[in-house]
PDB file of all heavy atoms in Angstrom:
ATOM      1  N   ILE Q1125       1.228  -5.791  -4.447  1.00 94.00           N
ATOM      2  CA  ILE Q1125       1.852  -5.190  -3.260  1.00 94.00           C
ATOM      3  C   ILE Q1125       3.068  -5.990  -2.782  1.00 94.00           C
ATOM      4  O   ILE Q1125       3.396  -5.969  -1.601  1.00 94.00           O
ATOM      5  CB  ILE Q1125       0.846  -4.983  -2.109  1.00 94.00           C
ATOM      6  CG1 ILE Q1125       0.225  -6.302  -1.658  1.00 94.00           C
ATOM      7  CG2 ILE Q1125      -0.226  -3.996  -2.508  1.00 94.00           C
ATOM      8  CD1 ILE Q1125      -0.568  -6.173  -0.351  1.00 94.00           C
ATOM      9  N   GLU Q1126       3.744  -6.664  -3.716  1.00 91.00           N
ATOM     10  CA  GLU Q1126       4.932  -7.415  -3.300  1.00 91.00           C
ATOM     11  C   GLU Q1126       6.234  -6.770  -3.758  1.00 91.00           C
ATOM     12  O   GLU Q1126       7.309  -7.266  -3.428  1.00 91.00           O
ATOM     13  CB  GLU Q1126       4.861  -8.852  -3.810  1.00 91.00           C
ATOM     14  CG  GLU Q1126       5.099  -9.015  -5.291  1.00 91.00           C
ATOM     15  CD  GLU Q1126       5.537 -10.432  -5.657  1.00 91.00           C
ATOM     16  OE1 GLU Q1126       5.642 -11.280  -4.765  1.00 91.00           O
ATOM     17  OE2 GLU Q1126       5.784 -10.673  -6.850  1.00 91.00           O
ATOM     18  N   SER Q1127       6.168  -5.664  -4.506  1.00 90.00           N
ATOM     19  CA  SER Q1127       7.407  -4.997  -4.914  1.00 90.00           C
ATOM     20  C   SER Q1127       8.086  -4.372  -3.696  1.00 90.00           C
ATOM     21  O   SER Q1127       7.464  -4.168  -2.641  1.00 90.00           O
ATOM     22  CB  SER Q1127       7.113  -3.908  -5.948  1.00 90.00           C
ATOM     23  OG  SER Q1127       6.458  -2.808  -5.342  1.00 90.00           O
ATOM     24  N   ARG Q1128       9.354  -4.039  -3.838  1.00 91.00           N
ATOM     25  CA  ARG Q1128      10.070  -3.424  -2.714  1.00 91.00           C
ATOM     26  C   ARG Q1128       9.449  -2.087  -2.326  1.00 91.00           C
ATOM     27  O   ARG Q1128       9.372  -1.751  -1.139  1.00 91.00           O
ATOM     28  CB  ARG Q1128      11.543  -3.242  -3.083  1.00 91.00           C
ATOM     29  CG  ARG Q1128      12.324  -4.536  -3.156  1.00 91.00           C
ATOM     30  CD  ARG Q1128      13.807  -4.301  -3.349  1.00 91.00           C
ATOM     31  NE  ARG Q1128      14.557  -5.556  -3.363  1.00 91.00           N
ATOM     32  CZ  ARG Q1128      15.869  -5.628  -3.464  1.00 91.00           C
ATOM     33  NH1 ARG Q1128      16.586  -4.523  -3.559  1.00 91.00           N
ATOM     34  NH2 ARG Q1128      16.481  -6.807  -3.474  1.00 91.00           N
ATOM     35  N   ALA Q1129       9.009  -1.328  -3.327  1.00 92.00           N
ATOM     36  CA  ALA Q1129       8.389  -0.034  -3.016  1.00 92.00           C
ATOM     37  C   ALA Q1129       7.096  -0.222  -2.243  1.00 92.00           C
ATOM     38  O   ALA Q1129       6.824   0.498  -1.272  1.00 92.00           O
ATOM     39  CB  ALA Q1129       8.128   0.740  -4.309  1.00 92.00           C
ATOM     40  N   GLN Q1130       6.290  -1.189  -2.648  1.00 94.00           N
ATOM     41  CA  GLN Q1130       5.039  -1.450  -1.929  1.00 94.00           C
ATOM     42  C   GLN Q1130       5.321  -1.985  -0.532  1.00 94.00           C
ATOM     43  O   GLN Q1130       4.660  -1.602   0.435  1.00 94.00           O
ATOM     44  CB  GLN Q1130       4.183  -2.448  -2.713  1.00 94.00           C
ATOM     45  CG  GLN Q1130       3.558  -1.895  -3.991  1.00 94.00           C
ATOM     46  CD  GLN Q1130       2.331  -1.039  -3.717  1.00 94.00           C
ATOM     47  OE1 GLN Q1130       1.963  -0.799  -2.568  1.00 94.00           O
ATOM     48  NE2 GLN Q1130       1.696  -0.556  -4.776  1.00 94.00           N
ATOM     49  N   GLN Q1131       6.293  -2.881  -0.423  1.00 95.00           N
ATOM     50  CA  GLN Q1131       6.606  -3.425   0.897  1.00 95.00           C
ATOM     51  C   GLN Q1131       7.162  -2.357   1.835  1.00 95.00           C
ATOM     52  O   GLN Q1131       6.988  -2.439   3.048  1.00 95.00           O
ATOM     53  CB  GLN Q1131       7.593  -4.590   0.766  1.00 95.00           C
ATOM     54  CG  GLN Q1131       6.962  -5.840   0.170  1.00 95.00           C
ATOM     55  CD  GLN Q1131       7.896  -7.036   0.194  1.00 95.00           C
ATOM     56  OE1 GLN Q1131       9.116  -6.897   0.181  1.00 95.00           O
ATOM     57  NE2 GLN Q1131       7.325  -8.233   0.227  1.00 95.00           N
ATOM     58  N   ALA Q1132       7.823  -1.348   1.281  1.00 95.00           N
ATOM     59  CA  ALA Q1132       8.281  -0.244   2.115  1.00 95.00           C
ATOM     60  C   ALA Q1132       7.117   0.644   2.536  1.00 95.00           C
ATOM     61  O   ALA Q1132       7.140   1.235   3.630  1.00 95.00           O
ATOM     62  CB  ALA Q1132       9.322   0.584   1.359  1.00 95.00           C
ATOM     63  N   MET Q1133       6.099   0.738   1.689  1.00 96.00           N
ATOM     64  CA  MET Q1133       4.953   1.599   1.999  1.00 96.00           C
ATOM     65  C   MET Q1133       3.985   0.957   2.994  1.00 96.00           C
ATOM     66  O   MET Q1133       3.399   1.652   3.836  1.00 96.00           O
ATOM     67  CB  MET Q1133       4.202   1.925   0.700  1.00 96.00           C
ATOM     68  CG  MET Q1133       2.965   2.814   0.876  1.00 96.00           C
ATOM     69  SD  MET Q1133       3.385   4.466   1.493  1.00 96.00           S
ATOM     70  CE  MET Q1133       4.261   5.120   0.070  1.00 96.00           C
ATOM     71  N   LEU Q1134       3.824  -0.345   2.933  1.00 97.00           N
ATOM     72  CA  LEU Q1134       2.804  -1.013   3.746  1.00 97.00           C
ATOM     73  C   LEU Q1134       2.929  -0.733   5.248  1.00 97.00           C
ATOM     74  O   LEU Q1134       1.929  -0.393   5.895  1.00 97.00           O
ATOM     75  CB  LEU Q1134       2.835  -2.521   3.475  1.00 97.00           C
ATOM     76  CG  LEU Q1134       2.233  -2.954   2.135  1.00 97.00           C
ATOM     77  CD1 LEU Q1134       2.662  -4.383   1.799  1.00 97.00           C
ATOM     78  CD2 LEU Q1134       0.715  -2.846   2.163  1.00 97.00           C
ATOM     79  N   PRO Q1135       4.115  -0.841   5.860  1.00 97.00           N
ATOM     80  CA  PRO Q1135       4.192  -0.549   7.299  1.00 97.00           C
ATOM     81  C   PRO Q1135       3.960   0.924   7.632  1.00 97.00           C
ATOM     82  O   PRO Q1135       3.667   1.259   8.786  1.00 97.00           O
ATOM     83  CB  PRO Q1135       5.624  -0.962   7.663  1.00 97.00           C
ATOM     84  CG  PRO Q1135       6.072  -1.853   6.552  1.00 97.00           C
ATOM     85  CD  PRO Q1135       5.391  -1.330   5.331  1.00 97.00           C
ATOM     86  N   ARG Q1136       4.088   1.801   6.644  1.00 96.00           N
ATOM     87  CA  ARG Q1136       3.867   3.227   6.876  1.00 96.00           C
ATOM     88  C   ARG Q1136       2.387   3.579   6.707  1.00 96.00           C
ATOM     89  O   ARG Q1136       1.827   4.330   7.499  1.00 96.00           O
ATOM     90  CB  ARG Q1136       4.716   4.050   5.914  1.00 96.00           C
ATOM     91  CG  ARG Q1136       6.209   3.783   6.037  1.00 96.00           C
ATOM     92  CD  ARG Q1136       6.994   4.420   4.905  1.00 96.00           C
ATOM     93  NE  ARG Q1136       6.947   5.880   4.976  1.00 96.00           N
ATOM     94  CZ  ARG Q1136       7.288   6.685   3.986  1.00 96.00           C
ATOM     95  NH1 ARG Q1136       7.669   6.170   2.821  1.00 96.00           N
ATOM     96  NH2 ARG Q1136       7.231   7.991   4.137  1.00 96.00           N
ATOM     97  N   LEU Q1137       1.779   3.037   5.674  1.00 97.00           N
ATOM     98  CA  LEU Q1137       0.368   3.334   5.443  1.00 97.00           C
ATOM     99  C   LEU Q1137      -0.540   2.520   6.366  1.00 97.00           C
ATOM    100  O   LEU Q1137      -1.605   2.961   6.752  1.00 97.00           O
ATOM    101  CB  LEU Q1137       0.025   3.058   3.975  1.00 97.00           C
ATOM    102  CG  LEU Q1137      -1.277   3.665   3.455  1.00 97.00           C
ATOM    103  CD1 LEU Q1137      -1.119   4.062   1.982  1.00 97.00           C
ATOM    104  CD2 LEU Q1137      -2.434   2.693   3.578  1.00 97.00           C
ATOM    105  N   LYS Q1138      -0.100   1.297   6.723  1.00 97.00           N
ATOM    106  CA  LYS Q1138      -0.832   0.403   7.633  1.00 97.00           C
ATOM    107  C   LYS Q1138      -2.289   0.198   7.195  1.00 97.00           C
ATOM    108  O   LYS Q1138      -3.225   0.598   7.894  1.00 97.00           O
ATOM    109  CB  LYS Q1138      -0.786   0.925   9.069  1.00 97.00           C
ATOM    110  CG  LYS Q1138       0.606   0.980   9.664  1.00 97.00           C
ATOM    111  CD  LYS Q1138       0.571   1.360  11.134  1.00 97.00           C
ATOM    112  CE  LYS Q1138       1.987   1.466  11.706  1.00 97.00           C
ATOM    113  NZ  LYS Q1138       2.748   0.223  11.598  1.00 97.00           N
ATOM    114  N   PRO Q1139      -2.511  -0.428   6.055  1.00 98.00           N
ATOM    115  CA  PRO Q1139      -3.888  -0.639   5.608  1.00 98.00           C
ATOM    116  C   PRO Q1139      -4.684  -1.460   6.619  1.00 98.00           C
ATOM    117  O   PRO Q1139      -4.207  -2.486   7.096  1.00 98.00           O
ATOM    118  CB  PRO Q1139      -3.715  -1.392   4.285  1.00 98.00           C
ATOM    119  CG  PRO Q1139      -2.348  -1.992   4.344  1.00 98.00           C
ATOM    120  CD  PRO Q1139      -1.528  -1.034   5.146  1.00 98.00           C
ATOM    121  N   ALA Q1140      -5.879  -0.978   6.941  1.00 98.00           N
ATOM    122  CA  ALA Q1140      -6.716  -1.643   7.944  1.00 98.00           C
ATOM    123  C   ALA Q1140      -8.136  -1.886   7.443  1.00 98.00           C
ATOM    124  O   ALA Q1140      -8.972  -2.391   8.191  1.00 98.00           O
ATOM    125  CB  ALA Q1140      -6.758  -0.803   9.225  1.00 98.00           C
ATOM    126  N   CYS Q1141      -8.418  -1.519   6.187  1.00 98.00           N
ATOM    127  CA  CYS Q1141      -9.728  -1.772   5.598  1.00 98.00           C
ATOM    128  C   CYS Q1141      -9.548  -1.816   4.080  1.00 98.00           C
ATOM    129  O   CYS Q1141      -8.471  -1.491   3.562  1.00 98.00           O
ATOM    130  CB  CYS Q1141     -10.743  -0.695   5.998  1.00 98.00           C
ATOM    131  SG  CYS Q1141     -10.356   0.947   5.339  1.00 98.00           S
ATOM    132  N   PHE Q1142     -10.603  -2.208   3.379  1.00 98.00           N
ATOM    133  CA  PHE Q1142     -10.473  -2.388   1.934  1.00 98.00           C
ATOM    134  C   PHE Q1142     -10.090  -1.090   1.231  1.00 98.00           C
ATOM    135  O   PHE Q1142      -9.249  -1.097   0.327  1.00 98.00           O
ATOM    136  CB  PHE Q1142     -11.775  -2.942   1.344  1.00 98.00           C
ATOM    137  CG  PHE Q1142     -11.699  -3.148  -0.140  1.00 98.00           C
ATOM    138  CD1 PHE Q1142     -10.994  -4.228  -0.659  1.00 98.00           C
ATOM    139  CD2 PHE Q1142     -12.313  -2.267  -1.012  1.00 98.00           C
ATOM    140  CE1 PHE Q1142     -10.895  -4.419  -2.031  1.00 98.00           C
ATOM    141  CE2 PHE Q1142     -12.221  -2.455  -2.386  1.00 98.00           C
ATOM    142  CZ  PHE Q1142     -11.516  -3.537  -2.898  1.00 98.00           C
ATOM    143  N   TYR Q1143     -10.675   0.041   1.630  1.00 97.00           N
ATOM    144  CA  TYR Q1143     -10.356   1.287   0.940  1.00 97.00           C
ATOM    145  C   TYR Q1143      -8.892   1.663   1.134  1.00 97.00           C
ATOM    146  O   TYR Q1143      -8.282   2.295   0.256  1.00 97.00           O
ATOM    147  CB  TYR Q1143     -11.260   2.430   1.395  1.00 97.00           C
ATOM    148  CG  TYR Q1143     -11.181   3.628   0.466  1.00 97.00           C
ATOM    149  CD1 TYR Q1143     -11.803   3.597  -0.779  1.00 97.00           C
ATOM    150  CD2 TYR Q1143     -10.472   4.770   0.811  1.00 97.00           C
ATOM    151  CE1 TYR Q1143     -11.726   4.669  -1.648  1.00 97.00           C
ATOM    152  CE2 TYR Q1143     -10.391   5.856  -0.050  1.00 97.00           C
ATOM    153  CZ  TYR Q1143     -11.017   5.803  -1.270  1.00 97.00           C
ATOM    154  OH  TYR Q1143     -10.924   6.860  -2.132  1.00 97.00           O
ATOM    155  N   ASP Q1144      -8.296   1.253   2.257  1.00 98.00           N
ATOM    156  CA  ASP Q1144      -6.864   1.482   2.440  1.00 98.00           C
ATOM    157  C   ASP Q1144      -6.056   0.716   1.393  1.00 98.00           C
ATOM    158  O   ASP Q1144      -5.019   1.204   0.922  1.00 98.00           O
ATOM    159  CB  ASP Q1144      -6.425   1.034   3.837  1.00 98.00           C
ATOM    160  CG  ASP Q1144      -6.924   1.963   4.934  1.00 98.00           C
ATOM    161  OD1 ASP Q1144      -7.409   3.063   4.616  1.00 98.00           O
ATOM    162  OD2 ASP Q1144      -6.835   1.562   6.110  1.00 98.00           O
ATOM    163  N   LEU Q1145      -6.513  -0.474   1.018  1.00 97.00           N
ATOM    164  CA  LEU Q1145      -5.824  -1.216  -0.038  1.00 97.00           C
ATOM    165  C   LEU Q1145      -5.975  -0.521  -1.381  1.00 97.00           C
ATOM    166  O   LEU Q1145      -5.049  -0.540  -2.205  1.00 97.00           O
ATOM    167  CB  LEU Q1145      -6.370  -2.647  -0.131  1.00 97.00           C
ATOM    168  CG  LEU Q1145      -6.043  -3.596   1.021  1.00 97.00           C
ATOM    169  CD1 LEU Q1145      -6.644  -4.971   0.748  1.00 97.00           C
ATOM    170  CD2 LEU Q1145      -4.538  -3.715   1.236  1.00 97.00           C
ATOM    171  N   VAL Q1146      -7.132   0.095  -1.615  1.00 97.00           N
ATOM    172  CA  VAL Q1146      -7.333   0.863  -2.845  1.00 97.00           C
ATOM    173  C   VAL Q1146      -6.291   1.986  -2.917  1.00 97.00           C
ATOM    174  O   VAL Q1146      -5.661   2.209  -3.954  1.00 97.00           O
ATOM    175  CB  VAL Q1146      -8.764   1.433  -2.912  1.00 97.00           C
ATOM    176  CG1 VAL Q1146      -8.949   2.293  -4.168  1.00 97.00           C
ATOM    177  CG2 VAL Q1146      -9.806   0.313  -2.892  1.00 97.00           C
ATOM    178  N   ILE Q1147      -6.101   2.682  -1.797  1.00 96.00           N
ATOM    179  CA  ILE Q1147      -5.117   3.762  -1.743  1.00 96.00           C
ATOM    180  C   ILE Q1147      -3.704   3.195  -1.894  1.00 96.00           C
ATOM    181  O   ILE Q1147      -2.865   3.762  -2.609  1.00 96.00           O
ATOM    182  CB  ILE Q1147      -5.262   4.552  -0.437  1.00 96.00           C
ATOM    183  CG1 ILE Q1147      -6.577   5.339  -0.461  1.00 96.00           C
ATOM    184  CG2 ILE Q1147      -4.073   5.491  -0.221  1.00 96.00           C
ATOM    185  CD1 ILE Q1147      -6.905   6.057   0.817  1.00 96.00           C
ATOM    186  N   GLU Q1148      -3.424   2.088  -1.240  1.00 96.00           N
ATOM    187  CA  GLU Q1148      -2.097   1.471  -1.318  1.00 96.00           C
ATOM    188  C   GLU Q1148      -1.730   1.141  -2.759  1.00 96.00           C
ATOM    189  O   GLU Q1148      -0.590   1.390  -3.200  1.00 96.00           O
ATOM    190  CB  GLU Q1148      -2.070   0.185  -0.476  1.00 96.00           C
ATOM    191  CG  GLU Q1148      -0.773  -0.594  -0.525  1.00 96.00           C
ATOM    192  CD  GLU Q1148       0.349   0.064   0.243  1.00 96.00           C
ATOM    193  OE1 GLU Q1148       0.078   0.669   1.285  1.00 96.00           O
ATOM    194  OE2 GLU Q1148       1.507  -0.052  -0.198  1.00 96.00           O
ATOM    195  N   VAL Q1149      -2.684   0.591  -3.499  1.00 93.00           N
ATOM    196  CA  VAL Q1149      -2.439   0.258  -4.903  1.00 93.00           C
ATOM    197  C   VAL Q1149      -2.118   1.516  -5.709  1.00 93.00           C
ATOM    198  O   VAL Q1149      -1.229   1.520  -6.565  1.00 93.00           O
ATOM    199  CB  VAL Q1149      -3.661  -0.464  -5.503  1.00 93.00           C
ATOM    200  CG1 VAL Q1149      -3.577  -0.517  -7.027  1.00 93.00           C
ATOM    201  CG2 VAL Q1149      -3.777  -1.877  -4.936  1.00 93.00           C
ATOM    202  N   ALA Q1150      -2.843   2.598  -5.428  1.00 92.00           N
ATOM    203  CA  ALA Q1150      -2.739   3.812  -6.251  1.00 92.00           C
ATOM    204  C   ALA Q1150      -1.579   4.715  -5.874  1.00 92.00           C
ATOM    205  O   ALA Q1150      -1.060   5.444  -6.732  1.00 92.00           O
ATOM    206  CB  ALA Q1150      -4.044   4.606  -6.154  1.00 92.00           C
ATOM    207  N   ILE Q1151      -1.149   4.697  -4.613  1.00 92.00           N
ATOM    208  CA  ILE Q1151      -0.225   5.730  -4.155  1.00 92.00           C
ATOM    209  C   ILE Q1151       1.221   5.448  -4.572  1.00 92.00           C
ATOM    210  O   ILE Q1151       2.012   6.381  -4.735  1.00 92.00           O
ATOM    211  CB  ILE Q1151      -0.340   5.904  -2.623  1.00 92.00           C
ATOM    212  CG1 ILE Q1151       0.193   7.275  -2.214  1.00 92.00           C
ATOM    213  CG2 ILE Q1151       0.360   4.783  -1.873  1.00 92.00           C
ATOM    214  CD1 ILE Q1151      -0.127   7.647  -0.774  1.00 92.00           C
ATOM    215  N   VAL Q1152       1.584   4.188  -4.755  1.00 90.00           N
ATOM    216  CA  VAL Q1152       2.949   3.867  -5.178  1.00 90.00           C
ATOM    217  C   VAL Q1152       2.966   3.839  -6.705  1.00 90.00           C
ATOM    218  O   VAL Q1152       3.108   2.792  -7.345  1.00 90.00           O
ATOM    219  CB  VAL Q1152       3.425   2.524  -4.583  1.00 90.00           C
ATOM    220  CG1 VAL Q1152       4.898   2.280  -4.941  1.00 90.00           C
ATOM    221  CG2 VAL Q1152       3.267   2.523  -3.066  1.00 90.00           C
ATOM    222  N   ARG Q1153       2.775   5.015  -7.285  1.00 84.00           N
ATOM    223  CA  ARG Q1153       2.736   5.200  -8.732  1.00 84.00           C
ATOM    224  C   ARG Q1153       3.491   6.484  -9.068  1.00 84.00           C
ATOM    225  O   ARG Q1153       3.574   7.404  -8.237  1.00 84.00           O
ATOM    226  CB  ARG Q1153       1.295   5.330  -9.235  1.00 84.00           C
ATOM    227  CG  ARG Q1153       0.413   4.155  -8.906  1.00 84.00           C
ATOM    228  CD  ARG Q1153       0.749   2.938  -9.742  1.00 84.00           C
ATOM    229  NE  ARG Q1153       0.188   1.723  -9.147  1.00 84.00           N
ATOM    230  CZ  ARG Q1153       0.389   0.508  -9.616  1.00 84.00           C
ATOM    231  NH1 ARG Q1153       1.137   0.341 -10.683  1.00 84.00           N
ATOM    232  NH2 ARG Q1153      -0.130  -0.531  -9.005  1.00 84.00           N
TER     233      ARG Q1153
END
């Protein structure tokens, strides 16, 4: 989650639990 695309997504998705991180990993594909 350190790429520019992931860093742009993080403030929008706002992960607040582990399953949110699962989605964060998968959605920027």
Side-chain angles (χ1 to χ4, degrees):
I1125 60 169
E1126 73 158 1
S1127 71
R1128 289 187 178 183
Q1130 288 282 3
Q1131 288 187 333
M1133 179 64 68
L1134 285 164
R1136 301 170 67 195
L1137 196 146
K1138 297 186 182 301
C1141 66
F1142 180 75
Y1143 194 75
D1144 288 348
L1145 290 181
V1146 177
I1147 291 175
E1148 177 73 35
V1149 166
I1151 201 169
V1152 185
R1153 302 287 163 184

